[in-house]
């Protein structure tokens, strides 16, 4: 005798996805149960390849199946657990078809109350980081007044290309990217006014041949101007990330950005605290700007906190050089970006299930 399929499903029913707070069978995550003699192979489909809970889920499945074998008095040979991922769509309107980008599963805006807090840097690294996990990712430089994606991704020597009336995105560092910075003279980009800004953003978003994407990250201009309004009317947003530095004044600006997204009906996926502290050569940590400020703001406003990024010299250097993948050559930096990507991806998965669970993200 061996464990039956019912035994295995019963065991999997006791294992919860820690973010989604439901069991794997109910969530439809059990894709295959293959038995050969006493050996068992389980294929579990996650909602994102960047799932931060993969190890925990693996441990829980292992424990549950072994416990079930003991309870049933059946032998258990080799237990193999394989993970796949199918990123789910979080937006109602995407499902209903009123969407100019039907092949994009999740659109995530990254905003900030003011310039210089690292919004573009965070956007680019979230995009590249999610792609490193195996997701299909696009980055739209919506900062039409001061596009920085050409620098951040090193696009200077890459020619622009179009097919028919569609722009072909730049395919670099594992992602697809589009920016106005490669289409108009940099000085001209600064003078967009309301209707022009609307038109420029619309064209970039909808006349780029993105193809199928799991995540499209939109780097918004700082503050609360025309572009977020256009964006919210045009695209079915999954939600927004707000980047903030720890200082009190930065938080006040970030609060305004949060309220703007809320007024536009865009869920807040979380707050990122950039430049949270600085680690010296001696390994000592300096809280230059008052580490934890953005995290407290997130808590006060009842928003998920996605994590922080210290000031890293390598991050600045790799951003200036347009070589984001080199950030992962500095292990501490790579870990910080990966953690942000994982928490963001799980917030998107939570939204995909209707946003009915409160996040319980553990933070440092
Ligand atoms: P924003 O988009 O908010 O205006 P940027 O992303 O352009 O800000 O960042 C401003 C500058 O700060 C850039 O030179 C960037 O490389 C640098 N920077 C951002 N975050 C960090 C960080 N955590 N460590 C070091 N430099 C950073």
């Amino acid at each position: 005798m061996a464990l039956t399929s019912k035994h295995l499903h019963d065991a999997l029913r006791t294992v919860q996805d820690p973010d989604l707070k439901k069991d794997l069978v109910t969530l439809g995550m059990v894709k295959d149960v293959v038995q050969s003699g006493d050996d068992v192979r389980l294929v579990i489909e996650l909602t994102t390849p960047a799932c931060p809970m993969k190890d925990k889920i693996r441990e829980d499945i292992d424990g549950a199946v072994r416990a079930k074998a003991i309870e049933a008095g059946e032998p258990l040979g080799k237990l193999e657990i394989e993970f796949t991922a199918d990123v789910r769509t979080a937006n109602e309107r995407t499902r209903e078809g009123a969407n100019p980008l039907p092949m994009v599963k999740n659109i995530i805006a990254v905003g900030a109350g003011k310039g210089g807090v690292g919004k573009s840097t965070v956007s680019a690294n979230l995009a590249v980081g999610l792609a490193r996990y195996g997701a299909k990712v696009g980055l739209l430089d919506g900062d039409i007044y001061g596009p920085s994606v050409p620098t951040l991704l090193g696009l200077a020597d890459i020619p622009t290309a179009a097919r028919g009336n569609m722009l072909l995105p730049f395919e670099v560092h594992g992602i697809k990217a589009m920016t106005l910075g490669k289409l108009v003279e940099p000085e001209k980009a600064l003078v967009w006014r309301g209707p022009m800004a609307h038109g420029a953003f619309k064209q970039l978003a909808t006349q780029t041949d993105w193809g199928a994407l799991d995540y499209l990250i939109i780097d918004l201009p700082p503050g609360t101007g025309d572009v977020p309004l256009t964006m919210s009317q045009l695209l079915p947003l999954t939600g927004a990330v707000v980047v903030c530095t720890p200082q009190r004044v930065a938080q006040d600006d970030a609060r305004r950005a949060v309220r703007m997204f809320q007024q536009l009906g865009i869920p807040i996926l979380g707050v990122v605290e950039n430049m949270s502290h600085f680690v010296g050569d001696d390994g000592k940590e300096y809280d230059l700007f008052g580490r934890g400020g953005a995290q407290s703001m997130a808590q006060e406003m009842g928003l998920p906190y996605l994590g922080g990024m210290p000031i890293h010299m390598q991050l600045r250097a790799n951003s200036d050089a347009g070589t984001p993948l080199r950030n992962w050559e500095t292990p501490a930096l790579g870990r910080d970006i990966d953690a942000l990507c994982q928490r963001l991806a799980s917030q998107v998965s939570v939204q995909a299930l209707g946003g009915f669970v409160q996040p319980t993200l553990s933070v440092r």
Side-chain angles (χ1 to χ4, degrees):
M1 281 287 282
L3 284 168
T4 61
S5 168
K6 180 170 184 316
H7 283 139
L8 292 166
H9 278 92
D10 285 348
L12 293 169
R13 243 182 263 280
T14 66
V15 178
Q16 278 206 342
D17 179 303
D19 276 331
L20 306 176
K21 302 270 188 299
K22 296 221 180 271
D23 74 84
L24 304 185
V25 177
T26 303
L27 287 168
M29 290 163 83
V30 182
K31 285 295 147 189
D32 210 357
V33 174
V34 187
Q35 288 176 272
S36 147
D38 295 340
D39 295 344
V40 174
R41 186 168 149 265
L42 302 170
V43 181
I44 307 297
E45 187 177 81
L46 303 169
T47 52
T48 170
C51 179
M53 299 299 175
K54 210 184 268 185
D55 291 340
K56 166 94 175 88
I57 295 173
R58 182 189 298 279
E59 242 171 63
D60 291 353
I61 293 175
D62 194 273
V65 172
R66 285 181 201 289
K68 182 54 87 180
I70 292 167
E71 183 196 309
E74 300 293 352
L76 175 64
K78 203 165 96 200
L79 172 60
E80 209 186 314
I81 303 164
E82 186 189 320
F83 288 109
T84 59
D86 180 21
V87 177
R88 299 189 190 176
T89 292
N91 198 285
E92 291 284 315
R93 280 168 58 198
T94 307
R95 285 188 282 262
E96 286 163 10
N99 177 7
L101 299 178
M103 285 158 75
V104 177
K105 290 184 178 171
N106 293 288
I107 306 179
I108 301 163
V110 180
K114 60 175 188 169
V117 299
K119 170 186 54 60
S120 300
T121 308
V122 169
S123 305
N125 283 284
L126 283 174
V128 173
L130 286 167
R132 275 174 45 95
Y133 278 110
K136 292 195 277 298
V137 188
L139 175 64
L140 169 61
D141 189 352
D143 192 347
I144 55 172
Y145 308 99
S148 41
V149 166
T151 304
L152 289 170
L153 300 186
L155 303 181
D157 296 331
I158 308 179
T160 49
R163 191 184 301 123
N165 64 351
M166 294 298 276
L167 295 162
L168 298 182
F170 299 93
E171 300 202 23
V172 283
H173 320 296
I175 64 169
K176 292 181 177 174
M178 183 44 69
T179 170
L180 201 65
K182 287 289 292 179
L183 304 173
V184 296
E185 307 282 318
E187 309 81 61
K188 287 209 184 116
L190 294 168
V191 299
W192 303 116
R193 287 180 214 294
M196 285 163 81
H198 173 86
F201 178 85
K202 188 172 171 187
Q203 253 180 312
L204 278 185
T206 60
Q207 287 184 23
T208 296
D209 188 1
W210 296 107
L213 293 180
D214 293 319
Y215 304 104
L216 175 64
I217 308 281
I218 302 182
D219 178 17
L220 286 175
T224 52
D226 297 308
V227 172
L229 181 63
T230 297
M231 177 188 72
S232 69
Q233 290 165 346
L234 184 69
L235 301 175
L237 269 274
T238 298
V241 171
V242 175
V243 181
C244 181
T245 51
Q247 307 93 314
R248 183 82 230 176
V249 282
Q251 287 168 46
D252 294 341
D253 288 327
R255 276 195 173 84
R256 271 192 286 280
V258 167
R259 280 196 287 271
M260 171 194 71
F261 287 125
Q262 289 171 336
Q263 273 165 9
L264 294 173
I266 300 171
I268 307 289
L269 296 166
V271 175
V272 172
E273 177 167 292
N274 191 26
M275 309 193 199
S276 63
H277 61 282
F278 173 74
V279 185
D281 284 343
D282 51 0
K284 201 170 155 205
E285 298 190 354
Y286 299 86
D287 289 352
L288 300 179
F289 300 138
R291 181 181 187 168
Q295 185 174 1
S296 327
M297 182 203 81
Q299 261 155 13
E300 279 163 30
M301 297 189 85
L303 304 171
Y305 176 64
L306 300 181
M309 267 221 287
I311 296 177
H312 285 280
M313 205 136 77
Q314 276 318 106
L315 179 61
R316 202 275 311 146
N318 296 334
S319 301
D320 282 354
T323 53
L325 282 168
R326 296 198 63 179
N327 289 334
W328 278 266
E329 291 171 17
T330 305
L333 179 52
R335 270 197 304 275
D336 283 336
I337 304 170
D338 282 344
L340 289 181
C341 290
Q342 291 186 347
R343 290 178 193 138
L344 173 61
S346 51
Q347 283 305 309
V348 172
S349 301
V350 167
Q351 288 288 332
L353 281 188
F356 60 82
V357 277
Q358 278 300 313
T360 50
L361 298 174
S362 56
V363 289
R364 292 186 281 166

